[in-house]
Structure formats: structure tokens, C-alpha cells
């Protein structure tokens, strides 16, 4: 039976592979949106050797599937798409509060930022 919830520490460190079985890296961190009470994105650490030269990528949470049986995370994403994605260095993180930056990341992956789809009074959207 698939669990309904997991602690962040359970997922942090899990390997990430794509649908083709390619190893893409591991989950470095989860970033929580405190205004909405949800995971904003996962930070994927990819490349490098023994932690040196890794590049980090923000991946919208809804792109990830947690495989609890194999203790890994699966994503429908090619290696090439990831290699060309906006990334950052472990010593130079972007401002995680910058909705503009996070919105650009979501759009790179073809996702609409969830916070822009919030109903307002009168049925309009933000």
C-alpha cells in the first residue's frame, strides 16, 4: 500500500531516474511554500563526482513520482532537457522567495505556476 504522506528526510537523498532508467542524480532538498502549505519544488543534485561539481536544479513537485518500493524518485524528463535547464551552484542558491525566478523554472518545464491559478473574487485568476 502506497503511503499518503512521507517526511522530507525520507525523500531527501533518494536517487532520481527518468522514465528511460537514466540516473539523473538525487534529491538534495525540498522547498516548502509556506503561504500555500505545499512543496514548491524539489532540488535535484546532478553531475559531479563525490559531491564536487554538482549542479542543482529546481524541479516542480508535480513532475515527480515517489517510488516507495524502490526508494527512488521518477521523473518524465530527458537528460538533455535537464542539462539545458536553469540550474544553480550549491554555494550560490537563487532567492527561493523570488516567485519570478520560480515561475520561470515552472515554465521551462511546461508547467503553470500553481500560485498563478488562484481564484480571486468574481472568478478571475491571478
Amino acid at each position: 500500500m502506497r503511503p499518503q504522506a512521507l517526511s522530507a528526510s525520507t525523500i531527501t537523498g533518494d536517487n532520481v531516474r527518468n522514465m528511460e532508467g537514466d540516473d539523473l542524480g538525487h534529491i538534495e532538498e525540498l522547498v516548502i511554500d509556506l503561504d500555500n502549505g505545499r512543496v514548491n519544488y524539489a532540488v535535484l543534485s546532478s553531475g559531479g563526482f563525490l559531491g564536487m561539481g554538482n549542479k542543482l536544479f529546481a524541479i516542480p513537485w508535480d513532475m515527480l513520482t515517489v517510488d516507495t518500493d524502490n526508494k527512488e524518485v521518477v521523473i518524465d524528463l530527458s537528460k538533455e532537457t535537464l542539462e539545458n535547464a536553469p540550474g544553480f551552484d550549491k554555494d550560490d542558491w537563487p532567492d527561493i522567495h523570488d516567485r519570478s525566478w520560480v515561475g520561470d523554472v515552472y515554465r521551462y518545464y511546461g508547467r503553470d505556476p500553481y500560485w498563478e491559478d488562484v481564484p480571486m473574487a468574481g472568478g478571475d485568476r491571478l
Side-chain angles (χ1 to χ4, degrees):
M1 178 177 189
R2 185 174 184 265
Q4 295 296 310
L6 292 172
S7 67
S9 63
T10 302
I11 298 168
T12 304
D14 280 2
N15 289 330
V16 178
R17 69 171 172 83
N18 63 14
M19 303 298 274
E20 291 77 34
D22 298 323
D23 178 22
L24 299 180
H26 68 273
I27 299 296
E28 183 77 21
E29 192 70 69
L30 299 178
V31 175
I32 310 299
D33 182 332
L34 298 179
D35 290 336
N36 293 293
R38 61 187 284 179
V39 176
N40 195 337
Y41 56 88
V43 177
L44 170 64
S45 177
S46 184
F49 180 70
L50 298 175
M52 307 271 298
N54 283 9
K55 189 171 181 182
L56 302 177
F57 301 93
I59 307 290
W61 180 251
D62 70 344
M63 292 182 65
L64 305 173
T65 301
V66 178
D67 179 347
T68 55
D69 292 336
N70 295 309
K71 276 198 61 70
E72 66 183 4
V73 176
V74 181
I75 185 170
D76 188 8
L77 184 70
S78 71
K79 277 184 143 179
E80 180 182 15
T81 300
L82 182 62
E83 289 168 358
N84 293 314
F88 53 97
D89 184 72
K90 69 179 177 118
D91 296 323
D92 189 23
W93 281 51
D95 179 0
I96 63 174
H97 308 289
D98 181 359
R99 287 277 169 112
S100 174
W101 178 82
V102 179
D104 288 345
V105 168
Y106 268 68
R107 284 183 280 280
Y108 173 81
Y109 293 109
R111 299 290 199 270
D112 291 326
Y114 62 86
W115 59 90
E116 292 179 357
D117 193 30
V118 177
M120 296 173 23
D124 293 334
R125 302 262 182 213
L126 284 178

